[in-house]
Amino acid sequence: MGKQESEENMNYWDMLPEGCIAEIVSHTTPVDACRVALVSPAVRSVADSDPVWDSFLPSDYRQLISRAVGNQPIHQLLSASPSKKDLYLSLAHHPLVIDAGDMSFSLDKRTGKKCFMMGARALTIVWGDTPRYWRWRSDSGSRFGKAIELISVCWFEIHGRISTSLLSGDTAYTTYLVYRPTTTLYGFEDLPLEISVGITGEESIKRNVFVDPEGGVQRENVTRPRRMGLFHNFRAAHPRPQIASSVNADRQNPRTRKDGWLEIELAEYYNKEGENRELEISLLEVKGGNWKSGLIIQGLEIRPMGGK
Amino acid sequence: MKKLKFIGNPLLQSREKINMSSDKKWLTLKTTEDNEEFVVEESVAIMSNVIKNMVEDGCASSVIPVPRVKGNAMGKIIEFCKKHTEESDEKVLKEFDAEFLNLGPDALYDLMVSANFLEIKVLLDSVTTKVADMIKGKSSEEIRNILKIENDLSAEEIEESRRENCWTRQE
């Protein structure tokens, strides 16, 4: 190989047809495409191009956007002839509220996989329509503008259902309860919620989850006001002995999200390509018999594993 | 000096024997850059859309000239097409492709340009996937090195790009 030939090879990349470069970048990930764009101006124009970012957008993105309600950032963007990259970033940064305002859709920025949150209104909440048990409230902190507050129940049962055809194919998903405690949070300290995630009617993954893992340690020796009803939390009258922190070590702690809400991981679900089933997420606490109170629920989120 | 390459049965020594044998149709491809000739089964050659069109237009009897593709690249391409015509087991093909594409960037780009020019979709897809895998997860500097691209951005441009794309920083 003479010197001339090796010099030629130095410029090989410039000789590649743009279509080839676009093909290569399409086979990487959105993150990689942004890094490739930093390489040189010529490569940047290809790495930022519509064919590349169209390949990162989910195939049904137009249909999902058409289901958006009201006036959201996406509508302003659409009127300004956005590039596919602009659309992608908007869907990643601004969850889109769809379907009568009870569901939201967004993209996991790193992978382009679809994320959904079922708002409280989209969930089946047992006793949810009885204000002495659960109360609806408008909530500017919720992307849906509303949330449901647990006033007091003995029987805690919530179900969320979503069609798997909405989810990205061949993707491992994790589900979360998105919520906030109020100052009157109690009844959950030593009782886990029994979680079940799986296809309706089929075998599901079962977990126990504590929405108040610190509660046991924090609430010892505190007398709580008696609640209405036949059952009352007699633990208030009988202070708990100090619970060693090691007991809490195996309880997963709720995480604070960027939007200020808390989330607790429920269970995972692997979505196969091309399936159209109903995924059911259930949260139950119906065995303790005690009164529980003090949660504000925004919804149930499902997003790819490893995504934030 | 013309070199005559036989892809196929190594025992056959002359073109006549090939013409007389069986029902297989054979074509001669000639790379015009370096005048290498390749005798190939038609079923293998038509994996290239360009050659397929030429055959359908009736150039089958004469030598098919192939510009822009060098002899050694042509040889590799024919090897690839032959394997993909003969083998139907997905797993075997995957292993073959992995071994076959175990090349440096220059050879890969050679293949890519040729596959693109000859419109051989299967080969083009394999090579682009391979190059994509090489750059996945790498930093911009590493990508620049792998692809041997000169960095002609000014310091300001680099900084501006970095700010726009700051969410791609490796965490």
Side-chain angles (χ1 to χ4, degrees):
Chain A
M1 223 203 265
K3 190 186 176 194
Q4 177 135 40
E5 241 187 277
S6 68
E7 267 174 1
E8 234 183 272
N9 287 336
M10 289 297 282
N11 293 325
Y12 229 123
W13 187 246
D14 291 337
M15 285 162 61
L16 276 178
E18 272 190 12
C20 280
I21 303 179
E23 267 296 307
I24 293 171
V25 181
S26 306
H27 279 99
T28 64
T29 66
V31 181
D32 296 310
C34 286
R35 293 209 187 102
V36 172
L38 293 176
V39 163
S40 82
V43 176
R44 179 180 184 162
S45 70
V46 179
D48 283 351
S49 68
D50 276 2
V52 170
W53 287 87
D54 193 69
S55 77
F56 294 142
L57 285 163
S59 54
D60 57 352
Y61 79 92
R62 282 183 198 84
Q63 202 252 359
L64 286 163
I65 289 177
S66 73
R67 286 156 70 167
V69 297
N71 207 346
Q72 301 183 59
I74 195 89
H75 296 108
Q76 261 188 317
L77 184 65
L78 285 171
S79 63
S81 303
S83 67
K84 295 284 158 84
K85 184 174 180 180
D86 290 335
L87 274 178
Y88 181 97
L89 291 175
S90 175
L91 290 171
H93 290 137
H94 307 291
L96 202 61
V97 178
I98 61 176
D99 291 355
D102 295 331
M103 192 91 129
S104 80
F105 150 67
S106 63
L107 294 178
D108 173 46
K109 193 152 60 167
R110 293 189 167 264
T111 60
K113 307 258 186 197
K114 290 179 279 182
C115 309
F116 291 92
M117 191 188 295
M118 291 176 270
R121 270 265 177 242
L123 306 176
T124 303
I125 301 175
V126 175
W127 295 118
D129 288 326
T130 311
R132 59 188 274 221
Y133 299 125
W134 291 88
R135 200 177 298 152
W136 289 100
R137 44 185 278 163
S138 56
D139 192 321
S140 57
S142 155
R143 63 182 62 171
F144 307 105
K146 47 177 133 60
I148 195 168
E149 180 177 356
L150 171 61
I151 304 300
S152 191
V153 288
C154 250
W155 188 278
F156 183 101
E157 179 177 349
I158 296 180
H159 301 275
R161 296 178 186 92
I162 186 169
S163 167
T164 64
S165 64
L166 282 175
L167 306 174
S168 298
D170 294 333
T171 304
Y173 277 93
T174 317
T175 54
Y176 299 84
L177 172 69
V178 181
Y179 70 105
R180 258 190 357 238
T182 67
T183 49
T184 55
L185 172 71
Y186 77 81
F188 293 102
E189 308 85 49
D190 297 323
L191 278 175
L193 294 182
E194 292 176 356
I195 308 300
S196 158
V197 174
I199 300 298
T200 306
E202 290 185 9
E203 235 189 274
S204 60
I205 295 182
K206 294 194 174 8
R207 286 275 148 73
N208 283 344
V209 143
F210 292 87
V211 290
D212 184 20
E214 302 291 310
V217 176
Q218 284 170 5
R219 300 234 175 71
E220 54 177 18
N221 294 325
V222 171
T223 322
R224 265 181 301 281
R226 232 198 88 171
R227 285 284 159 180
M228 60 197 148
L230 290 174
F231 302 99
H232 72 273
N233 191 343
F234 71 88
R235 284 190 183 83
H238 304 270
R240 251 178 314 285
Q242 178 111 32
I243 295 176
S245 57
S246 60
V247 172
N248 287 331
D250 61 345
R251 299 181 182 186
Q252 198 178 74
N253 284 325
R255 238 191 85 240
T256 308
R257 295 157 52 95
K258 274 197 206 129
D259 58 13
W261 292 71
L262 290 182
E263 67 180 21
I264 189 92
E265 188 179 317
L266 304 176
E268 58 275 9
Y269 171 71
Y270 184 84
N271 188 49
K272 289 196 217 124
E273 179 72 54
E275 284 197 347
N276 187 358
R277 322 287 305 280
E278 184 181 74
L279 177 69
E280 182 167 357
I281 304 162
S282 303
L283 298 87
L284 274 85
E285 204 308 293
V286 300
K287 294 178 183 157
N290 65 320
W291 288 96
K292 299 167 263 292
S293 157
L295 289 182
I296 299 174
I297 293 177
Q298 182 177 170
L300 293 177
E301 182 166 66
I302 178 162
R303 60 175 196 253
M305 245 178 212
K308 279 197 180 134
Chain B
M1 188 178 90
K2 267 197 214 176
K3 264 193 285 184
L4 209 59
K5 280 211 176 81
F6 291 88
I7 313 295
N9 192 334
L11 294 176
L12 290 174
Q13 291 301 311
S14 74
R15 210 183 285 184
E16 282 165 322
K17 271 200 188 154
I18 292 169
N19 283 340
M20 286 192 321
S21 76
S22 64
D23 35 331
K24 287 190 190 158
K25 284 185 77 181
W26 297 83
L27 299 173
T28 306
L29 305 173
K30 176 167 161 177
T31 55
T32 56
E33 283 219 355
D34 46 13
N35 285 329
E36 281 194 39
E37 286 193 5
F38 299 84
V39 181
V40 187
E41 277 183 51
E42 185 181 287
S43 56
V44 171
I46 59 173
M47 272 191 77
S48 152
N49 228 21
V50 168
I51 295 179
K52 183 163 182 275
N53 290 336
M54 285 174 127
V55 167
E56 283 168 1
D57 290 345
C59 310
S61 52
S62 48
V63 173
I64 298 178
V66 183
R68 285 164 68 166
V69 182
K70 294 215 182 78
N72 48 8
M74 193 72 224
K76 279 220 87 135
I77 289 170
I78 291 172
E79 188 192 328
F80 180 91
C81 293
K82 190 168 194 298
K83 187 72 182 181
H84 276 254
T85 330
E86 287 171 352
E87 188 64 61
S88 52
D89 189 330
E90 283 291 330
K91 202 167 163 256
V92 174
L93 280 176
K94 253 192 155 174
E95 278 174 25
F96 170 81
D97 287 358
E99 186 59 45
F100 181 83
L101 292 172
N102 202 2
L103 305 165
D106 292 339
L108 282 175
Y109 303 147
D110 237 335
L111 264 183
M112 194 164 14
V113 172
S114 307
N116 185 53
F117 172 72
L118 289 170
E119 293 178 34
I120 307 173
K121 191 171 188 308
V122 181
L123 177 56
L124 190 58
D125 284 346
S126 297
V127 183
T128 53
T129 308
K130 167 83 189 196
V131 178
D133 286 343
M134 279 162 57
I135 64 181
K136 260 192 212 172
K138 302 280 193 311
S139 72
S140 306
E141 271 101 80
E142 287 169 320
I143 296 174
R144 204 177 284 118
N145 288 333
I146 293 170
L147 303 180
K148 295 187 188 166
I149 300 171
E150 235 178 79
N151 183 5
D152 47 359
L153 289 165
S154 70
E156 289 116 29
E157 285 170 322
I158 296 178
E159 199 39 55
E160 190 202 317
S161 290
R162 281 247 165 80
R163 260 183 277 119
E164 272 179 39
N165 290 302
C166 66
W167 55 275
T168 66
R169 288 241 178 84
Q170 265 140 344
E171 287 162 50

